[in-house]
Amino acid sequence: MYKDHFEYFSNNKSVYLDNAATTQKPIQVLEVMNDYYTKFCANIHRSNYSNANKATTLYENSRTYLQEFINAKEKYELIFTKGVTESINFVATSFVKDNFDTVIISTLEHHSNIVPWHMQGRTLHQGLEVVNCDENLNFDLAHLEELLIKHPNSFVSIAHISNAFGKILPIKEIVKIAHAYNAPVLVDGAQSLAHIKVDIQDLDVDFYAISSHKTFGPTGTGAIYAKEEHLKSFKPYQTGGATINDVSFERSIFLDSPYMFEAGTQNIAGVLGFHEALKFITTIGYEKIHKEEIQLYSYLRKELSTIKEIQFYTDIKDSIGSLSFNIQGLNHEDIGILLDKQHVLVRCGHHCAQPVMKYLNIEGTIRVSIAFYNDKYDINKFIIALRKAIEILKD
Ligand code: PMP
């Protein structure tokens, strides 16, 4: 039982199906963080005594592990951040702002891959372009190419997996097309690492934003992968201690990447916890994780299909993790409240993806999002609770 690795599940009898919002954390992640705070708490990259050196070594080992985990070429291509939101804001400010006329995104983006572009004064057709999707929310590669031809100095910023609908976007094809027009590609990987193996060199992306708390690690931690060739044109978007080689009142000379981009005291316990979460994934193995999830996702879809008022917005093809739907004639928020009363935890709303909700002409959805530790028991309990909620609301 995978749930045995998570203390959360012995303390909570509710069915947890909100993994796209955040995942639960295995015991070893919490232990490592506790060890840091209780046994060798010290700042990193500064003092030169044994506990400080131990903390620095473990922090840097975490970077190396992440590099190997996603098969990045160089360790210094990985910069720790507080999550995907900070990672995208970082690239937007430090790299994209003054260098690109147009940013191209998809219809399915999370607000954190839309609002940073608005903050640069980019709005639809004024520095921001959106790639169409079909009726099943599949990405339109031909439209991407049209946009790249029309807007020669573009930057492409796309989610790997939609948090709202679970659609996997064709990143390899997107990158191939974008690179043919000299457009770098940032991928919002918030929803990927919990479900699928990511090989940065194989995807050939320029930037990849990573979230620890969506990947069985602690909150407040994440990373940005930045391809070596771009690092020299990156400016630090925040500065301060630890980024500096030499400072006088006349000027500041920065260290090299990644240190020049990690200003101030970092989330040391968070990074060590994230490292442990990645090790946990390695122990279980993506093959197993993927197989379990695909089976469970199909089962969930099949069971939901037996409810006659169900409305889906995607087919099941190229989908993983999140499944969104509505019940015709009923309000999604009302259903969420009744599910909670029956101890089934899902998210109902727009999932920080309002533009795609507007595109579909809906306010929001009921979203079930699974992780590999969920099982048929969870799905069966959810379906029973959903049927009951529908019955009550239709009365
Ligand atoms: N992008 C997507 C697709 C997400 O699902 C989320 C989190 N809901 C984010 C970005 C933001 O990630 P973080 O919480 O790590 O900042």
Side-chain angles (χ1 to χ4, degrees):
M1 274 290 284
Y2 295 125
K3 284 184 185 150
D4 294 345
H5 295 279
F6 298 79
E7 228 174 303
Y8 171 88
F9 292 113
S10 31
N11 296 325
N12 289 275
K13 293 302 164 210
S14 308
V15 171
Y16 188 76
L17 292 168
D18 194 19
N19 293 285
T22 200
T23 52
Q24 299 304 333
K25 327 299 175 198
I27 293 159
Q28 40 287 50
V29 166
L30 308 176
E31 280 176 356
V32 150
M33 295 172 75
N34 195 45
D35 271 3
Y36 165 71
Y37 282 126
T38 55
K39 296 183 182 148
F40 58 95
C41 184
N43 212 331
I44 54 169
H45 301 143
R46 288 161 170 79
S47 312
N48 193 16
Y49 51 86
S50 55
N51 277 352
N53 290 336
K54 180 173 177 182
T56 299
T57 303
L58 292 179
Y59 183 88
E60 288 306 323
N61 287 350
S62 305
R63 198 190 309 274
T64 307
Y65 196 88
L66 179 58
Q67 176 210 340
E68 287 164 2
F69 193 83
I70 61 168
N71 192 29
K73 209 163 154 202
E74 304 292 347
K75 184 178 160 175
Y76 50 77
E77 292 174 317
L78 283 150
I79 298 151
F80 286 118
T81 63
K82 64 185 168 71
V84 164
T85 304
E86 188 185 14
S87 295
I88 297 176
N89 276 278
F90 172 36
V91 178
T93 311
S94 298
F95 184 75
V96 181
K97 194 164 179 255
D98 303 320
N99 295 328
F100 296 90
D101 299 332
T102 306
V103 172
I104 300 176
I105 60 174
S106 83
T107 313
L108 290 169
E109 297 311 318
H110 186 277
H111 294 169
S112 60
N113 192 22
I114 302 172
V115 184
W117 311 120
H118 287 166
M119 295 303 286
Q120 298 183 353
R122 302 175 191 271
T123 52
L124 189 61
H125 307 315
Q126 303 289 330
L128 184 68
E129 296 295 331
V130 181
V131 179
N132 294 335
C133 55
D134 70 10
E135 69 285 359
N136 277 311
L137 302 181
N138 292 305
F139 187 88
D140 183 345
L141 289 164
H143 187 222
L144 169 67
E145 187 155 10
E146 269 171 45
L147 290 172
L148 287 162
I149 292 168
K150 199 164 164 204
H151 304 280
N153 184 27
S154 285
F155 182 85
V156 176
S157 192
I158 303 276
H160 198 162
I161 300 176
S162 150
N163 65 307
F165 295 94
K167 266 282 158 199
I168 307 173
L169 283 91
I171 297 301
K172 264 181 109 161
E173 287 89 335
I174 290 171
V175 171
K176 248 187 221 143
I177 295 170
H179 284 178
Y181 294 90
N182 293 321
V185 179
L186 179 149
V187 172
D188 168 352
Q191 298 292 337
S192 348
L193 287 177
H195 308 287
I196 56 170
K197 168 115 191 82
V198 169
D199 183 323
I200 288 292
Q201 292 187 70
D202 182 49
L203 290 176
D204 196 26
V205 294
D206 299 274
F207 304 99
Y208 198 94
I210 293 166
S211 174
S212 152
H213 77 97
K214 312 261 190 204
T215 319
F216 317 111
T219 56
T221 308
I224 181 78
Y225 158 82
K227 208 184 243 177
E228 179 177 16
E229 68 189 72
H230 301 303
L231 283 170
K232 52 185 176 305
S233 32
F234 248 84
K235 293 185 209 98
Y237 93 121
Q238 51 184 354
T239 55
T243 61
I244 289 299
N245 187 8
D246 191 71
V247 178
S248 66
F249 286 121
E250 286 76 29
R251 51 102 184 99
S252 298
I253 300 174
F254 288 95
L255 292 166
D256 290 331
S257 180
Y259 310 109
M260 74 186 289
F261 303 117
E262 293 180 0
T265 297
Q266 297 300 293
N267 186 349
I268 303 160
V271 166
L272 303 194
F274 186 32
H275 181 182
E276 207 58 34
L278 297 178
K279 278 163 63 184
F280 176 72
I281 293 176
T282 304
T283 308
I284 292 180
Y286 271 119
E287 235 173 78
K288 242 189 201 161
I289 288 176
H290 200 244
K291 196 166 146 231
E292 303 274 347
E293 281 197 27
I294 291 293
Q295 279 174 4
L296 202 64
Y297 196 85
S298 310
Y299 181 70
L300 168 65
R301 173 80 181 209
K302 185 167 102 345
E303 291 300 305
L304 279 172
S305 305
T306 62
I307 296 171
K308 74 173 188 313
E309 305 91 338
I310 197 110
Q311 178 166 18
F312 294 119
Y313 301 96
T314 57
D315 51 19
I316 197 169
K317 193 172 119 313
D318 297 330
S319 297
I320 203 162
S322 298
L323 206 164
S324 260
F325 64 92
N326 267 309
I327 303 293
Q328 276 155 22
L330 300 181
N331 180 286
H332 55 281
E333 300 282 2
D334 293 344
I335 290 180
I337 293 165
L338 291 180
L339 289 176
D340 179 38
K341 292 247 178 279
Q342 298 172 83
H343 312 291
V344 174
L345 314 179
V346 300
R347 180 164 168 193
C348 297
H350 54 63
H351 317 299
C352 297
Q354 281 178 316
V356 67
M357 300 298 157
K358 292 190 170 91
Y359 171 78
L360 292 168
N361 222 355
I362 54 177
E363 296 253 307
T365 67
I366 302 152
R367 181 188 71 184
V368 177
S369 56
I370 58 169
F372 73 95
Y373 44 61
N374 289 119
D375 48 31
K376 280 193 174 173
Y377 166 84
D378 295 336
I379 304 301
N380 293 341
K381 247 194 120 180
F382 157 68
I383 295 287
I384 291 168
L386 178 63
R387 284 188 182 282
K388 189 151 183 210
I390 295 171
E391 206 181 294
I392 294 168
L393 290 168
K394 278 181 116 186
D395 242 4

